[in-house]
Amino acid sequence: MFYKKSFHFIYKKDLFQQYRRFNMTNSSSLKNKLKELIPEKQKILKDLKNNHGNKTIDLVTVNQTVGGMRGIKSMLWNTSLLDPEKGITFHNKTINNLREELPKYNIKNLTYKSSEPSSEALLWFLMTGEIPSEEEVSNLHEELYIRSGISDNVKNAIIEFPKNMHPMTQFSCSILLLQNESLFAKKYKEGITKNDYWDYTYEDIMNLIAKLPEVTSLIYNNTYKYGEYKKYDNELDYAANFCNMIGFNNNTLNDLMRLYILIHSDHEGGNASAHTCRLVGSTLSDPYLSLSASMNALAGPLHGLANQEVLKWLLNLQNKLKNENKEVNEETIREFAWETLNNGQVIPGYGHAVLRNTDPRYTCQREFAQKNLPDDELFKLVDTIYKVVPDVLLEHGKTKNPYPNVDSHSGVLLKHYGINEYEYYTVLFGLGRSFGVLSELFWDRALNLPLERPKSVTLDWLQKNILK
Ligand code: NMX
Ligand code: MLT
């Protein structure tokens, strides 16, 4: 299935990749699969619009309109659905279902079989709703490899970013630097019809996902290390490629990265990064413009930036107690949590706009830690915080969900394996989130979903129409 090693001479590889990219349109088994699925989904949507279009799904209260539109069922989003108690399901499968059912990456079919599903398998599943065969995963692996590689212009521009520019700003800018390569934008300019949108959207999405490990690792290496740029290695899967590119060669970290991409990939459509990608994409901005915007939403501290805030909070807690010669225990953690709240700040990693229970993405990271790093000091701290903070938040009496979310655990795992630079953590969330929001963006174009444009009202309108 994979091409022969002799092509590894760089110049030959570049020529070969150009040739393969040229032929990719017809040979991609994922694209062919999607081509089969599109008419079925279009038919379902058409039937809903024509025969049930006027039925009511939900009603909207004043509190929802002035309170961030919580809970209003008003978006179509196919890749995943969030239950407030049970958490996320992807095409009706839980995280643990996927961890069992999706193919694992088998390096050279010999030495090491990964414990977590490959990100290639996840991508196939998110886009199609079907569990791929090993052959389909291999095919997609090759497709991503062939599409990988960033130009010298983009590379040099990223290297010129100031070192103190936040990694999320670098990430968003880097995606915009790639936008020049958008086939969708090019073909739209040439005058394609609606029926062809999905085709070029697919090309952009796959090219973009294939290039993200190089882009994100270059940001890491350039900001924190020595500016090294590593190319995609065909013998490693997607997640291991990323780890390799930032200078790590550790099978357990590779597994963590596979799990990390899986749990961060999608969280239905209403979260800020997903919703932003949908909104921007609905104007027919291409996938590069849409993903860059999505990453800007993820960069906020109430959303994806919370993972860096959590680690900062944990380290501040440790330092403060050390300086005061105090032990880290339930009592001192409770005091620190109250101090945070009394300062008018949120406890990062706790609470959620939809969930009303412990996030299963937290639970599976906890299980990973119990298995692989049970004696890690920061893991023990996170575990003790879990015993204390929900009660503190309940007593505080404001938050509707006193339990931990995904961001509460992720930094501790990354730090354990040596990724210490916490300002970078949200980039990793973004790498995972790209899989979900871009898969959905493909279907937005395939189903020809219209421009998103909800109706707003003014305070004056509310007074006149509600208080009457
Ligand atoms: N610490 C302190 N106060 C909180 C917390 C928290 N962790 N969570 C919610 N509250 C407050 C919230 O600020 C609000 O206060 P006020 O009435 O003064 O405005 C009140 O509780 C009610 O908020 P909720 O309705 O429970 O939460 P909402 O849906 O508005 O916001 C979050 C959800 C996630 C933004 C909020 O829980 C939060 O700020 N959490 C901490 C930041 C965080 O972990 N974000 C990551 C979320 C997951 N992700 O990756 O995106
Ligand atoms: C997410 O993964 O997007 C967050 O948990 C936020 C959300 O779902 O609103």
Side-chain angles (χ1 to χ4, degrees):
M1 180 63 62
F2 302 148
Y3 74 84
K4 295 274 181 306
K5 269 253 178 191
S6 56
F7 278 104
H8 265 285
F9 293 109
I10 297 300
Y11 76 97
K12 273 197 183 165
K13 184 183 150 187
D14 286 349
L15 285 177
F16 183 71
Q17 285 191 353
Q18 275 173 29
Y19 168 77
R20 291 302 305 265
R21 265 189 210 126
F22 184 72
N23 285 299
M24 186 53 73
T25 305
N26 296 322
S27 68
S28 157
S29 67
L30 176 57
K31 192 172 189 177
N32 288 333
K33 178 81 205 169
L34 291 166
K35 214 171 184 172
E36 264 170 55
L37 294 175
I38 289 170
E40 286 170 34
K41 298 261 192 258
Q42 284 177 335
K43 191 162 170 279
I44 296 171
L45 187 64
K46 193 170 170 198
D47 173 52
L48 279 165
K49 277 170 32 177
N50 291 348
N51 302 320
H52 309 275
N54 290 325
K55 291 187 180 159
T56 302
I57 293 176
D58 217 344
L59 296 170
V60 180
T61 65
V62 173
N63 272 345
Q64 287 174 309
T65 297
V66 300
M69 299 184 283
R70 295 287 182 287
I72 305 170
K73 295 188 192 73
S74 59
M75 277 180 88
L76 178 66
W77 192 269
N78 290 300
T79 37
S80 66
L81 186 68
L82 184 58
D83 180 277
E85 293 296 326
K86 295 184 190 139
I88 194 69
T89 48
F90 305 90
H91 296 295
N92 297 318
K93 288 189 189 286
T94 63
I95 290 171
N96 283 341
N97 292 152
L98 288 185
R99 290 172 82 190
E100 276 166 29
E101 293 175 35
L102 285 177
K104 313 274 192 298
Y105 179 61
N106 202 347
I107 298 170
K108 289 254 159 221
N109 297 317
L110 283 175
T111 46
Y112 175 79
K113 186 145 183 160
S114 67
S115 310
E116 302 294 339
S118 75
S119 307
E120 288 87 339
L122 171 73
L123 180 59
W124 181 288
F125 177 75
L126 285 170
M127 290 197 85
T128 64
E130 294 177 13
I131 301 283
S133 65
E134 297 224 350
E135 198 192 338
E136 286 167 334
V137 175
S138 287
N139 194 297
L140 184 53
H141 171 89
E142 190 183 11
E143 178 170 347
L144 290 174
Y145 168 66
I146 289 162
R147 290 176 186 274
S148 69
I150 56 177
S151 69
D152 285 344
N153 283 345
V154 171
K155 214 180 302 166
N156 293 335
I158 295 175
I159 288 170
E160 288 302 319
F161 288 152
K163 300 271 182 292
N164 63 358
M165 191 184 205
H166 192 278
M168 279 305 280
T169 314
Q170 295 192 47
F171 188 27
S172 172
C173 291
S174 303
I175 298 167
L176 288 180
L177 286 169
L178 292 170
Q179 190 270 342
N180 202 22
E181 297 169 18
S182 169
L183 264 172
F184 181 86
K186 182 171 180 283
K187 291 289 171 183
Y188 189 85
K189 205 167 145 192
E190 286 170 17
I192 48 168
T193 71
K194 276 187 173 183
N195 293 340
D196 295 325
Y197 288 173
W198 70 267
D199 194 338
Y200 301 106
T201 301
Y202 178 87
E203 293 299 316
D204 278 0
I205 285 173
M206 297 307 282
N207 286 337
L208 187 44
I209 289 179
K211 292 172 200 314
L212 290 182
E214 280 149 296
V215 166
T216 50
S217 63
L218 183 55
I219 292 169
Y220 182 84
N221 291 340
N222 195 42
T223 308
Y224 304 114
K225 305 283 171 185
Y226 34 82
E228 192 189 0
Y229 165 72
K230 271 197 193 166
K231 289 195 172 199
Y232 218 92
D233 180 345
N234 196 23
E235 285 170 20
L236 300 174
D237 70 339
Y238 191 88
N241 251 299
F242 169 75
C243 295
N244 179 46
M245 286 173 194
I246 60 164
F248 292 87
N249 178 10
N250 176 330
N251 283 335
T252 322
L253 176 62
N254 294 345
D255 266 333
L256 175 63
M257 205 53 66
R258 293 177 188 111
L259 179 63
Y260 204 92
I261 290 175
L262 165 59
I263 63 177
H264 288 88
S265 62
D266 211 32
H267 219 230
E268 71 171 29
N271 70 74
S273 50
H275 193 182
T276 304
C277 189
R278 149 70 56 78
L279 174 67
V280 175
S282 84
T283 69
L284 297 187
S285 279
D286 61 62
Y288 297 85
L289 295 170
S290 309
L291 185 68
S292 170
S294 164
M295 292 303 109
N296 295 339
L298 193 70
L302 296 186
H303 193 14
L305 205 79
N307 62 8
Q308 82 164 44
E309 297 299 300
V310 168
L311 206 83
K312 205 159 80 184
W313 194 79
L314 297 177
L315 298 178
N316 284 345
L317 185 156
Q318 276 187 327
N319 282 339
K320 183 166 188 290
L321 296 182
K322 196 172 161 203
N323 289 340
E324 293 172 0
N325 277 325
K326 285 186 182 166
E327 224 183 90
V328 180
N329 57 34
E330 293 189 22
E331 198 39 51
T332 51
I333 291 172
R334 187 171 292 114
E335 275 171 29
F336 189 78
W338 272 112
E339 244 172 66
T340 305
L341 294 172
N342 292 336
N343 282 340
Q345 288 155 355
V346 295
I347 298 186
Y350 278 77
H352 201 273
V354 180
L355 286 166
R356 294 295 175 258
N357 207 341
T358 298
D359 191 336
R361 300 174 297 178
Y362 174 90
T363 311
C364 75
Q365 292 182 87
R366 184 167 182 267
E367 285 162 7
F368 187 96
Q370 281 169 327
K371 182 174 164 207
N372 294 296
L373 43 131
D375 299 324
D376 183 283
E377 202 183 323
L378 274 176
F379 165 56
K380 287 186 190 159
L381 175 59
V382 166
D383 223 27
T384 317
I385 288 171
Y386 187 29
K387 291 186 193 135
V388 172
V389 163
D391 284 342
V392 171
L393 284 171
L394 280 175
E395 200 182 328
H396 186 238
K398 275 189 168 186
T399 172
K400 296 188 187 67
N401 176 37
Y403 301 110
N405 60 54
V406 65
D407 299 315
S408 192
H409 216 305
S410 48
V412 166
L413 298 178
L414 296 170
K415 188 162 170 42
H416 176 84
Y417 290 102
I419 306 175
N420 297 317
E421 302 82 3
Y422 56 71
E423 288 208 336
Y424 185 74
Y425 293 171
T426 312
V427 174
L428 296 180
F429 191 150
L431 181 65
R433 184 51 51 97
S434 309
F435 278 55
V437 298
L438 291 176
S439 298
E440 184 65 30
L441 192 63
F442 168 80
W443 281 103
D444 293 358
R445 294 291 75 81
L447 297 175
N448 276 316
L449 296 189
L451 176 77
E452 217 181 64
R453 203 317 187 173
K455 177 85 186 82
S456 63
V457 292
T458 60
L459 266 182
D460 183 48
W461 185 98
L462 283 173
Q463 281 182 304
K464 284 186 186 139
N465 289 275
I466 302 296
L467 298 182
K468 64 182 178 193

